[in-house]
Amino acid sequence: MKRRTFCQITFLSILVCLTASTFAEDIPNRPEKLTFEPLKFEPPLAADYRHVLNGGVVAYLVPDRTLPLVDIDVMFRVGEHLDPKGKEGLASLTGYLMARGGTKSKTAEELDERMDFLAAQLGTGIQGFQGNAHLNLLSKDLDEGLSILREVLAEPRFQEDKIALRKEQIIAEMKQRNDDSADIEQRERRFLAFGEHFWSNRLETKSSVDSISRDDLIAFHHKWIQPKNFIIAVAGDFDVDDMTARLNKLIADWPYSGETAPEPPANPEMAKPGIYLVDKDVNQGRVTLMLPGIQRDNPDYFACLVMNDILGGGGFTSRLMNRIRSDEGLAYSAGSAFQAGVYAPGPFIAVFQSKSRTVPYATSIIEQELKRMADQPVSDEELNTSKRSFIDTFPQNFASKSAVAGLFGNDELTGRFAKDPDYWKEFRGKIDAISEDDVQKVAKKYLKPNDAVILVVGQKKEILEGHPDHSVKLTDLSKGPLVEVPLRDPLTLKPIDAQPAQKE
Amino acid sequence: MTAIICKRSRLALWLVTLLSASVAFSQQVPVKEVHLANGMRLLMVERHDNPTIAGGWVAHVGSSNERPGITGIAHLFEHMMFKGTPTIGTKDYEKDQEIIAKQEEVREKMRQEEAHMREMWRHGKIKDLQDPNTFTPRYKELSAEFKKLVDAQRELLVKNEFDRIYTTAGASGMNAFTTDDLTGYFINVPANKLELWMWMESERLWHPVFREFYAERDVVLEERRMRYDSTPLGEASVAHLAMFWESSTYSWPTIGWPSDVMAISKAQADNFYSIYYSPQNITLILVGDFQSDDAEKMARRYFGRIPRGKKDPPDVVTLEVPQEVEKRMNAEVEANPQVDIYWHTVPYQHPDSYPLAVLAQLLSGRTGRLYKGLVLSNEVATETFAYQDSKKWAGLFNIGGEARDGKTPEDVEQGIYQELDKLKHELVPAEELQKIKNQYAAYEYRKLNSNFSILHQLINYDGEGDWREINYGGPKIQAVTAEDVQRVAQKYFTKINRAVGIYTRKPGTGTEEDPDLAGLTGDQKTAIKQLAAKLKQESDAGKLKQALEKMKGQAGQVPDEQKPFFQAYMKKIQARVTELGGKE
């Protein structure tokens, strides 16, 4: 009996195999010959998920009953711009320790043990211009989880031993500031892009961290961690009415009356055009080329998105990747970004990493491509590829319920929902409307190689020497000066360099 | 394209890797498996929340299938799979083939000259084989000839067309990665583009064309510089693994030795393809918004075209020899002092891999034993980690930690052994074990949060040997007992079974307290550092000695509070004089 079945299966699979190869003859030799059903997708609307809680706190609730999990994100408009002078690092330390320094009823150790036993994930933090408390747990534990979250938000304990430990970890990390050339590049990039005095560049130092006391944490917490600064995004296994009631309880009777957090200041100042070179003994140079950019609500935003995608944002379909990587084998990664800022213009940046000797040549390719972008219209094919990509990948913005809640929560927090409520609804149409002209216009307007601030981190001698096969030298690439940027002391951030000796 | 799963990124992923080796009580992933007639397999998981499909496939080959001379070929090959087919990537296939053939003729001559240059290097006539200034005239001539052929080919190329077709169709996130055991390829496509995925992937599996082969080798060398040469721990961690694995083919890094990558030929890549990319060595995986019946029909039609490989790929026969001596490595790096320890354990799906995974979790996290013991109680470390890595042919357990200020990597090492000794001598309390099992159980739900994460788990599980682990692993974790944990702790964590890496900060980097600066104020320290940096630019030892003499004469007049500063400055000058070879 068994044997017979086996034979039949073998016979069937031969049949299938024969039919398959007959069909295979119809397979076209180019993919354009395939036809596809249209893709229908309408994005969810923020208004359908938006709830106003007591006191005007906005929450986005996106139920999803497929798994017994709930994901709660309490975001706050509280950022590092609120660090008092001399206490840089206070916001970030406060944010971290809300969930890691114990609460009114639990020591830090008890809290950690309980959350780990429930297999719940709880964390808090403040970074950039915002902060959050995030809790992901099994829905059966929702009661306990929310009461712990309430204590974490309203009554953190800030245990002294945890403050001391965290400070020690921060300083250990700080000591590695000059170890990795990528870290040096990132730090100097932001200094050059926004200026040393811009709020996001007031970096913590050993002395600023040392000066922070438990009282500072408590004062910062009481002043800013307030429901009036909250936006809440919840996705997962819950009933909307029930969750609304739970969230109202989460934010009720706040024990402190603090302040509404101000927006971060918008006064960035980009460095003067030139080449900024940090000497670091590694065999690969890291390069960032920067130009003044735009803010997110700029009318040129969509044209810039498409233009940048064609130039260097689109990975392997972009010009920078094609020339620097595929043609020349000069880098593993090469690309560009228009970092349209929320509260202040962000820079346009183009980046790559290449062996020391080929740094000048690869940089010259970027400059050529910036110029070509401004001088010549893009091809129909390039424009079409970029537009189709933005339009057809659009559904992925809403790939999961927690992504939807997070996206809408973030739009609420950064003011996009108030200013531009139809942003997502109109997104595809606005992309589709971009023409070759629009692309060239913004390229002309923003991509001016003469204004470029070029940061290079790597082996100075070899980079300046260049490559025997290519005549271009680093100093040919800017009309501005070559500025040697000294490394900074990791703990003080003061330049370690050969400045005039101090008189004794 | 590419992501090599290197050691450090694996640390970041450890939780996912560990936790995904499990399945809870009920949450089975509904995978449908289909076998094509040519030996290829297809795994499908339907999920209809969003109109997208995560599509991928895994080739059961990685750097552990290589041999000396061609290390890095699995990864280089992965890069080549994006270069097109006869109809994708070129305007004129025949001419393209002619040029590729001519290129290979020139390359053959270059290879002969490379052998000659290696000989010159052995005899000390060339200092650095990668320095373009030291290439022989013959090699430069051949390079120029080759470059002309590259330019000629460029005229015919349709650059990155494979990528462009997908991107224009709304696909995104296309990439691939190579590990020591497997090579995974993946992409997201809109739900209406399933047939495009079938077309594109079957075409490139069936007849890939390796254009721009030698430029891509240079890309890989840049990738190596980025991931290893230019990172603080990159090279030392490669050395540590090479010391740990003796006979195993895991002893070289997935990216390969630079000399091998520079020497790999297109003919070797062709040969590699015919052995390891045959249908019987490939598993296709689809997760997302499609109907399994349709997908199966399409897969049979498109992938069924590819003929089965004549021979099955060879098994790796080299086993790791049992380690008989403790191994230790001292590395000076630009990083904080730390320790990193490997022990030989067991491969994928070995019964001991489950208690070892539980043991790793017992040690990890803020409520784990390492953090509690070494960071909170003993105060020897600032951070710690632990994980079990069950590879296809062998396995390892890794524990490490960073030393706190004033403590040494050896202090952290001893702290680690103390925690392991407790696990050897005392049974884990029931509640602590339950905590670990709860975490694994919750992960059974969390792992289902996206198409992409399910796709990646299936790529990894099937690549290591069996996708069913996604549903089998969980119950095995839940069955682990305290006695099992004690048994594996005793069995594997022995002295002769380990390879210890001691990392200390390279002198002169970072901010470790310089003894010369003791007793100075913060501002004075900064000033001395600035002066010391200035001294580095002075190369005239005589001038420095003069200055030193002068200062010695003035020493008596310096006010008391300035004396430490003055003396520190003199020490720095003296150090520079010594460095320049001058004697006092």
Side-chain angles (χ1 to χ4, degrees):
Chain A
M1 195 57 197
K2 265 191 176 162
R3 197 180 168 84
R4 178 171 288 256
T5 324
F6 178 71
C7 290
Q8 276 174 349
I9 289 169
T10 318
F11 176 66
L12 272 176
S13 64
I14 290 167
L15 252 187
V16 169
C17 184
L18 287 174
T19 17
S21 58
T22 331
F23 282 145
E25 284 166 19
D26 313 332
I27 292 174
N29 66 345
R30 288 283 307 180
E32 291 79 6
K33 296 175 186 167
L34 300 171
T35 53
F36 306 103
E37 298 278 312
L39 186 75
K40 291 196 190 79
F41 178 78
E42 280 312 313
L45 298 176
D48 293 345
Y49 300 97
R50 192 173 188 270
H51 299 265
V52 179
L53 305 175
N54 295 342
V57 176
V58 173
Y60 287 90
L61 309 182
V62 190
D64 173 11
R65 299 289 200 167
T66 51
L67 296 171
L69 290 166
V70 182
D71 193 85
I72 303 164
D73 198 16
V74 180
M75 312 184 217
F76 15 97
R77 291 188 182 91
V78 175
E80 292 176 285
H81 57 290
L82 301 172
D83 273 344
K85 208 170 173 315
K87 303 241 178 231
E88 290 79 15
L90 175 59
S92 147
L93 191 61
T94 309
Y96 178 85
L97 285 168
M98 282 166 62
R100 297 281 172 266
T103 65
K104 191 179 174 191
S105 72
K106 285 188 169 60
T107 65
E109 293 74 12
E110 289 164 351
L111 180 66
D112 281 343
E113 283 293 351
R114 190 61 194 154
M115 295 318 276
D116 273 3
F117 193 81
L118 296 177
Q121 299 168 340
L122 169 72
T124 48
I126 295 175
Q127 204 187 13
F129 55 70
Q130 65 190 74
N132 76 331
H134 178 252
L135 175 63
N136 180 293
L137 79 177
L138 293 166
S139 40
K140 70 178 174 58
D141 300 324
L142 197 54
D143 283 339
E144 185 175 353
L146 280 171
S147 77
I148 288 175
L149 184 61
R150 159 78 189 200
E151 283 203 355
V152 162
L153 286 166
E155 290 164 298
R157 184 182 292 212
F158 295 125
Q159 256 167 253
E160 287 282 10
D161 59 336
K162 298 298 172 210
I163 299 175
L165 173 64
R166 185 60 184 165
K167 281 183 173 182
E168 211 169 329
Q169 289 169 332
I170 290 170
I171 286 165
E173 189 56 39
M174 208 182 266
K175 286 182 177 171
Q176 308 202 94
R177 271 176 166 161
N178 287 339
D179 293 342
D180 195 330
S181 56
D183 293 340
I184 298 170
E185 182 194 27
Q186 224 158 47
R187 183 171 69 239
E188 296 303 330
R189 180 194 290 170
R190 51 198 277 187
F191 282 135
L192 293 171
F194 298 107
E196 296 204 16
H197 300 291
F198 191 60
W199 68 266
S200 66
N201 285 336
R202 295 192 300 128
L203 304 185
E204 55 200 19
T205 62
K206 181 168 184 299
S207 70
S208 78
V209 171
D210 281 346
S211 80
I212 297 170
S213 67
R214 181 167 180 268
D215 287 345
D216 292 326
L217 296 178
I218 293 170
F220 187 93
H221 172 263
H222 287 192
K223 188 166 175 186
W224 303 118
I225 307 301
Q226 294 287 330
K228 61 183 132 193
N229 291 322
F230 291 174
I231 308 291
I232 304 176
V234 189
D237 183 22
F238 59 82
D239 170 81
V240 170
D241 290 338
D242 177 57
M243 184 54 75
T244 310
R246 286 171 183 275
L247 293 179
N248 273 323
K249 202 173 140 201
L250 179 76
I251 58 171
D253 307 322
W254 210 254
Y256 319 103
S257 61
E259 293 177 27
T260 303
E263 281 187 7
N267 53 352
E269 195 184 341
M270 193 179 273
K272 296 213 162 42
I275 295 166
Y276 295 80
L277 177 61
V278 184
D279 190 12
K280 170 81 179 168
D281 189 17
V282 284
N283 68 1
Q284 188 180 57
R286 304 185 68 94
V287 176
T288 304
L289 181 148
M290 279 182 280
L291 289 162
I294 57 169
Q295 223 164 308
R296 193 172 71 174
D297 52 6
N298 189 305
D300 292 336
Y301 176 68
F302 286 90
C304 284
L305 274 187
V306 173
M307 187 272 284
N308 175 66
D309 190 63
I310 296 169
L311 172 64
F316 282 83
T317 58
S318 74
R319 293 178 175 186
L320 293 183
M321 194 69 132
N322 271 327
R323 288 214 50 206
I324 295 175
R325 174 169 163 155
S326 308
D327 279 358
E328 308 269 0
L330 292 170
Y332 174 70
S333 77
S336 68
F338 242 103
Q339 301 180 325
V342 175
Y343 297 109
F348 162 84
I349 66 169
V351 298
F352 69 88
Q353 303 87 39
S354 187
K355 59 186 173 297
S356 312
R357 293 295 189 87
T358 45
V359 159
Y361 178 55
T363 311
S364 75
I365 293 177
I366 292 195
E367 292 196 346
Q368 286 166 19
E369 290 304 326
L370 296 181
K371 197 164 170 311
R372 184 156 76 100
M373 208 73 204
D375 290 351
Q376 297 165 23
V378 296
S379 71
D380 286 347
E381 196 196 8
E382 284 175 311
L383 184 67
N384 183 50
T385 296
S386 177
K387 283 160 59 165
R388 289 321 311 168
S389 173
F390 278 113
I391 292 167
D392 290 339
T393 57
F394 179 73
Q396 287 179 28
N397 290 302
F398 312 92
S400 70
K401 298 292 189 277
S402 59
V404 170
L407 187 78
F408 292 151
N410 218 42
D411 278 1
E412 183 80 32
L413 186 136
T414 56
R416 184 185 259 161
F417 179 76
K419 249 182 173 169
D420 191 3
D422 293 328
Y423 177 80
W424 296 107
K425 211 171 126 190
E426 293 172 352
F427 183 93
R428 290 174 291 181
K430 284 185 174 167
I431 289 282
D432 207 26
I434 301 296
S435 67
E436 269 103 344
D437 263 5
D438 296 331
V439 169
Q440 196 177 358
K441 223 165 74 191
V442 293
K444 275 201 166 107
K445 189 167 166 186
Y446 298 105
L447 303 184
K448 297 175 179 159
N450 284 343
D451 294 347
V453 170
I454 303 172
L455 168 66
V456 181
V457 181
Q459 214 168 51
K460 177 177 137 190
K461 188 172 157 283
E462 295 220 336
I463 291 172
L464 289 174
E465 199 174 319
H467 194 280
D469 293 352
H470 311 287
S471 61
V472 60
K473 297 282 180 238
L474 190 68
T475 42
D476 302 339
L477 296 169
S478 174
K479 293 197 173 99
L482 173 74
V483 182
E484 288 193 33
V485 181
L487 283 176
R488 295 164 197 270
D489 181 276
L491 298 184
T492 64
L493 287 177
K494 284 185 186 153
I496 317 170
D497 67 349
Q499 279 168 5
Q502 290 177 359
K503 283 198 180 146
E504 288 306 322
Chain B
M1 307 284 149
T2 258
I4 288 207
I5 303 229
C6 60
K7 178 171 162 269
R8 289 289 140 178
S9 63
R10 203 174 255 156
L11 292 190
L13 286 170
W14 73 268
L15 193 73
V16 176
T17 326
L18 275 184
L19 291 183
S20 56
S22 78
V23 160
F25 318 103
S26 61
Q27 203 64 36
Q28 298 278 301
V29 183
V31 181
K32 188 179 178 203
E33 181 178 9
V34 169
H35 291 245
L36 307 192
N38 57 12
M40 199 179 281
R41 290 179 298 134
L42 167 65
L43 308 178
M44 295 174 284
V45 183
E46 288 187 37
R47 297 175 92 236
H48 300 284
D49 316 343
N50 190 262
T52 57
I53 300 167
W57 46 277
V58 55
H60 295 81
V61 59
S63 53
S64 62
N65 300 89
E66 297 163 351
R67 57 168 176 78
I70 58 165
T71 64
I73 197 172
H75 168 249
L76 176 62
F77 191 85
E78 173 224 307
H79 282 234
M80 295 315 300
M81 282 303 281
F82 294 83
K83 294 297 186 179
T85 67
T87 62
I88 304 284
T90 184
K91 291 177 213 156
D92 184 340
Y93 179 56
E94 279 172 22
K95 223 168 162 186
D96 185 55
Q97 288 297 296
E98 275 171 34
I99 293 176
I100 291 179
K102 279 187 198 154
Q103 285 180 348
E104 284 310 304
E105 283 170 26
V106 179
R107 273 287 158 182
E108 189 46 45
K109 292 178 196 160
M110 289 174 79
R111 274 189 282 276
Q112 286 166 17
E113 191 61 16
E114 282 161 12
H116 175 54
M117 281 161 47
R118 279 194 297 271
E119 186 188 28
M120 290 172 72
W121 176 82
R122 292 197 299 274
H123 297 166
K125 291 174 187 156
I126 287 182
K127 234 172 132 185
D128 177 359
L129 283 168
Q130 288 197 53
D131 181 353
N133 290 318
T134 61
F135 293 163
T136 61
R138 166 80 175 147
Y139 195 74
K140 283 183 187 162
E141 198 180 292
L142 288 166
S143 302
E145 198 182 322
F146 182 74
K147 190 173 178 300
K148 277 188 197 141
L149 289 167
V150 168
D151 290 341
Q153 188 182 30
R154 202 169 286 161
E155 299 290 308
L156 308 174
L157 284 179
V158 183
K159 293 295 296 185
N160 291 321
E161 191 182 12
F162 192 80
D163 198 292
R164 180 174 298 279
I165 290 166
Y166 262 140
T167 306
T168 310
S172 65
M174 177 163 76
N175 214 329
F177 65 96
T178 309
T179 73
D180 14 35
D181 290 332
L182 61 98
T183 313
Y185 298 78
F186 54 89
I187 191 165
N188 260 314
V189 294
N192 63 339
K193 298 286 167 52
L194 180 60
E195 190 169 3
L196 177 69
W197 181 84
M198 299 275 176
W199 193 95
M200 296 286 279
E201 302 302 325
S202 63
E203 284 284 318
R204 72 163 157 174
L205 265 169
W206 191 16
H207 36 217
V209 178
F210 305 145
R211 302 180 178 98
E212 303 175 293
F213 185 81
Y214 297 94
E216 204 59 33
R217 271 190 353 192
D218 290 342
V219 170
V220 169
L221 288 170
E222 289 294 354
E223 184 180 356
R224 184 177 218 288
R225 290 185 190 102
M226 183 186 86
R227 292 188 196 277
Y228 298 97
D229 308 353
S230 298
T231 56
L233 298 175
E235 299 201 302
S237 66
V238 169
H240 192 190
L241 278 171
M243 173 179 81
F244 175 68
W245 296 113
E246 271 175 63
S247 50
S248 162
T249 52
Y250 291 134
S251 67
W252 50 82
T254 298
I255 201 151
W257 301 121
S259 54
D260 290 2
V261 175
M262 275 159 55
I264 291 169
S265 69
K266 189 181 157 293
Q268 285 169 328
D270 291 341
N271 184 46
F272 182 87
Y273 166 75
S274 71
I275 296 172
Y276 292 106
Y277 278 68
S278 55
Q280 63 263 45
N281 207 33
I282 304 283
T283 304
L284 309 169
I285 305 165
L286 292 169
V287 184
D289 188 14
F290 60 90
Q291 299 297 327
S292 295
D293 291 350
D294 298 345
E296 182 184 337
K297 269 183 221 149
M298 265 193 247
R300 288 192 187 282
R301 184 170 169 228
Y302 279 91
F303 293 93
R305 300 181 287 170
I306 308 170
R308 186 184 175 101
K310 290 190 188 89
K311 277 197 262 175
D312 287 345
D315 206 27
V316 171
V317 296
T318 308
L319 303 180
E320 176 69 356
V321 290
Q323 186 174 317
E324 303 292 353
V325 293
E326 187 201 23
K327 300 175 187 177
R328 298 188 74 86
M329 172 186 91
N330 292 310
E332 285 184 350
V333 292
E334 286 191 57
N336 290 340
Q338 51 198 288
V339 66
D340 199 3
I341 311 169
Y342 295 121
W343 289 264
H344 291 284
T345 55
V346 293
Y348 187 66
Q349 288 187 322
H350 186 286
D352 285 354
S353 65
Y354 307 100
L356 283 164
V358 168
L359 194 152
Q361 192 66 359
L362 282 165
L363 293 172
S364 304
R366 264 187 324 284
T367 62
R369 292 186 171 209
L370 289 176
Y371 198 83
K372 279 188 183 166
L374 276 65
V375 179
L376 299 180
S377 307
N378 271 349
E379 304 197 347
V380 293
T382 49
E383 56 181 48
T384 55
F385 67 85
Y387 73 98
Q388 157 67 18
D389 184 7
S390 307
K391 297 166 186 282
K392 190 168 182 176
W393 318 107
L396 64 79
F397 199 97
N398 185 196
I399 301 182
E402 184 187 273
R404 211 177 264 218
D405 234 3
K407 302 286 177 181
T408 64
E410 286 85 352
D411 293 336
V412 181
E413 185 190 357
Q414 289 312 316
I416 291 168
Y417 298 151
Q418 281 166 20
E419 290 306 328
L420 291 172
D421 281 346
K422 281 184 214 158
L423 286 166
K424 289 177 192 174
H425 297 129
E426 297 154 33
L427 285 176
V428 177
E431 170 142 337
E432 194 180 355
L433 189 59
Q434 191 55 48
K435 172 182 79 178
I436 304 304
K437 292 185 179 179
N438 289 350
Q439 290 168 1
Y440 277 103
Y443 183 73
E444 290 304 305
Y445 302 118
R446 292 198 174 110
K447 75 182 181 190
L448 299 173
N449 75 1
S450 79
N451 293 345
F452 234 61
S453 96
I454 296 172
L455 171 69
H456 274 271
Q457 290 169 66
L458 289 171
I459 285 178
N460 281 309
Y461 286 132
D462 202 70
E464 295 296 350
D466 184 4
W467 67 264
R468 289 171 194 80
E469 188 68 12
I470 200 170
N471 290 331
Y472 290 173
K476 290 183 178 162
I477 290 279
Q478 295 298 329
V480 168
T481 65
E483 287 76 12
D484 292 333
V485 173
Q486 186 176 37
R487 183 181 55 79
V488 297
Q490 289 168 351
K491 181 167 181 190
Y492 299 103
F493 296 104
T494 62
K495 187 174 179 186
I496 59 162
N497 193 33
R498 71 192 178 208
V500 183
I502 298 285
Y503 294 78
T504 50
R505 184 172 272 289
K506 193 187 269 181
T509 69
T511 55
E512 65 194 319
E513 227 21 62
D514 178 345
D516 290 352
L517 304 186
L520 300 190
T521 66
D523 281 349
Q524 285 175 331
K525 282 178 189 168
T526 308
I528 289 285
K529 282 180 198 161
Q530 289 172 346
L531 290 166
K534 196 187 175 197
L535 286 169
K536 289 270 174 216
Q537 296 182 344
E538 179 56 68
S539 50
D540 184 347
K543 219 164 126 190
L544 289 173
K545 276 195 245 176
Q546 271 179 13
L548 209 53
E549 286 308 313
K550 213 167 155 190
M551 286 176 79
K552 276 182 188 160
Q554 294 167 348
Q557 301 149 30
V558 176
D560 276 356
E561 70 273 15
Q562 292 291 350
K563 271 194 175 128
F565 179 87
F566 195 79
Q567 273 154 10
Y569 189 28
M570 282 174 59
K571 278 184 192 162
K572 291 292 166 207
I573 298 174
Q574 183 54 52
R576 181 63 184 155
V577 170
T578 312
E579 195 176 75
L580 289 167
K583 299 229 163 65
E584 196 176 350

